[in-house]
Amino acid sequence: MTDAVGSIDMPDAQDEAPDSKKTRKGGKRAKKGPLRRLALFYRQIVAELRKVVWPTRNQLTSYTTAVIIFVVVMIGLITLIDYGLSNAAKYVFG
């Protein structure tokens, strides 16, 4: 029975190749010290932050306004539900 990868009985060709290469322990990180790795990490952070598309002041203002309005509406909704449930509990349990 064969499929796209191969059969269960016959291993793939890449699995049959002998391991003649020695693998380095740790890869590229083993060569660098911890301070160099930390510096590389911060350089990569700065490079990624440069790729970010930052919103304009108008977009930021409209997004912030929308979030504040949504939060106020949700607070009001939850307050009404809580008030209703507390009155219902007082009615049922005296």
Side-chain angles (χ1 to χ4, degrees), residues 12-52:
D12 294 338
Q14 61 188 353
D15 293 338
E16 293 176 0
D19 292 331
S20 61
K21 294 182 182 178
K22 278 190 171 181
T23 58
R24 268 190 283 166
K25 190 174 183 180
K28 291 182 180 179
R29 265 201 251 173
K31 290 182 178 180
K32 298 178 182 176
L35 290 178
R36 285 190 180 192
R37 285 188 292 176
L38 190 63
L40 175 65
F41 177 69
Y42 283 119
R43 280 196 306 270
Q44 289 173 345
I45 289 174
V46 170
E48 288 297 321
L49 285 175
R50 287 187 179 141
K51 295 178 188 177
V52 173

Side-chain angles (χ1 to χ4, degrees), residues 79-92:
T79 301
L80 287 174
I81 292 171
D82 183 48
Y83 181 74
L85 289 176
S86 68
N87 281 340
K90 284 180 188 177
Y91 179 75
V92 170

Side-chain angles (χ1 to χ4, degrees), residues 41-77:
F41 177 69
Y42 283 119
R43 280 196 306 270
Q44 289 173 345
I45 289 174
V46 170
E48 288 297 321
L49 285 175
R50 287 187 179 141
K51 295 178 188 177
V52 173
V53 178
W54 297 99
T56 63
R57 183 176 291 275
N58 289 336
Q59 289 174 333
L60 189 63
T61 304
S62 65
Y63 296 158
T64 303
T65 304
V67 167
I68 290 173
I69 290 172
F70 177 77
V71 167
V72 167
V73 167
M74 291 307 293
I75 287 172
L77 189 67

